[in-house]
Amino acid sequence: MKAYVRDYLKEEVFDEGLTRNLPAFSRFFDAAAYSHGELVNFTNVARDCGVDSKTVKEYYQILSDTLLGTLLEPFKKRQKQAGDRKGPQVLPF
């Protein structure tokens, strides 16, 4: 598995220019692995990775673009209330 992740990081992400900070993206993999299938808190993942929460959102988009995961937004039957702050789930393949 480590060899696959290393090859994936080098060939699919870094060589394609999707991210320039490979060590932070590698830390993102570790942090995201702990929360797969759960509601994602971008701020907590960003704190674990040492990057901004906007960067974490971009990292999740990279996973989605490379077909390694998908963001599943929560179902909303009614309009969002002031206290409702549900994030998306990440479903890895």
Side-chain angles (χ1 to χ4, degrees), residues 54-73:
K54 290 181 182 179
T55 305
V56 169
K57 289 179 184 178
E58 292 173 7
Y59 288 168
Y60 276 113
Q61 187 61 45
I62 289 171
L63 291 183
S64 180
D65 291 345
T66 56
L67 303 176
L68 286 179
T70 186
L71 289 175
L72 179 64
E73 296 291 334

Side-chain angles (χ1 to χ4, degrees), residues 5-16 22:
V5 170
R6 184 179 55 247
D7 289 342
Y8 167 76
L9 286 174
K10 183 179 181 309
E11 294 176 10
E12 295 293 327
V13 177
F14 191 70
D15 289 347
E16 294 290 328
L22 200 56

Side-chain angles (χ1 to χ4, degrees), residues 4 7-8 10 19 22 24 26 28 37 52 65 75 78 87 93:
Y4 173 76
D7 289 342
Y8 167 76
K10 183 179 181 309
T19 185
L22 200 56
S26 180
F28 162 74
D52 188 48
D65 291 345
F75 175 75
R78 58 183 168 79
F93 292 107

Side-chain angles (χ1 to χ4, degrees), residues 7-57:
D7 289 342
Y8 167 76
L9 286 174
K10 183 179 181 309
E11 294 176 10
E12 295 293 327
V13 177
F14 191 70
D15 289 347
E16 294 290 328
L18 298 175
T19 185
R20 289 183 172 27
N21 191 350
L22 200 56
F25 192 71
S26 180
R27 288 191 305 270
F28 162 74
F29 266 114
D30 292 334
Y34 289 113
S35 64
H36 74 281
E38 298 178 0
L39 294 178
V40 176
N41 186 330
F42 296 114
T43 305
N44 288 345
V45 176
R47 186 178 29 234
D48 292 343
C49 298
V51 296
D52 188 48
S53 61
K54 290 181 182 179
T55 305
V56 169
K57 289 179 184 178

